[in-house]
Amino acid sequence: MMLYPAMNQLTANVPNRYLLVNVVARRARQIAQAAEDIGEKLEEKPVTLAIQEVADAKISVAAADVVIKDVEA
């Protein structure tokens, strides 16, 4: 089975697979919450959108940590 984006593309932006899972999960929750808050229906699943953001290097581990701290506070 061919997966897109490839794991090596994802780990280029987030070097640790376990950290990658955490970053994607937290970003997916943020995406889902934001869509719910404004009443928007997502065309893609939040996890798919979060993975694509990591693959496109739109979020980094450092940037994700800052955003995540704001959400949890």
Side-chain angles (χ1 to χ4, degrees), residues 40-63:
E40 179 184 349
K41 181 163 176 23
L42 296 173
E43 303 261 337
E44 298 276 339
K45 292 183 178 181
V47 173
T48 302
L49 296 173
I51 288 172
Q52 193 58 48
E53 286 183 5
V54 171
D56 293 341
K58 291 183 180 177
I59 59 173
S60 66
V61 176

Side-chain angles (χ1 to χ4, degrees), residues 27-46 49:
R27 180 63 184 137
R29 278 189 231 113
Q30 291 172 348
I31 292 169
Q33 186 63 48
E36 184 179 329
D37 289 347
I38 62 172
E40 179 184 349
K41 181 163 176 23
L42 296 173
E43 303 261 337
E44 298 276 339
K45 292 183 178 181
L49 296 173

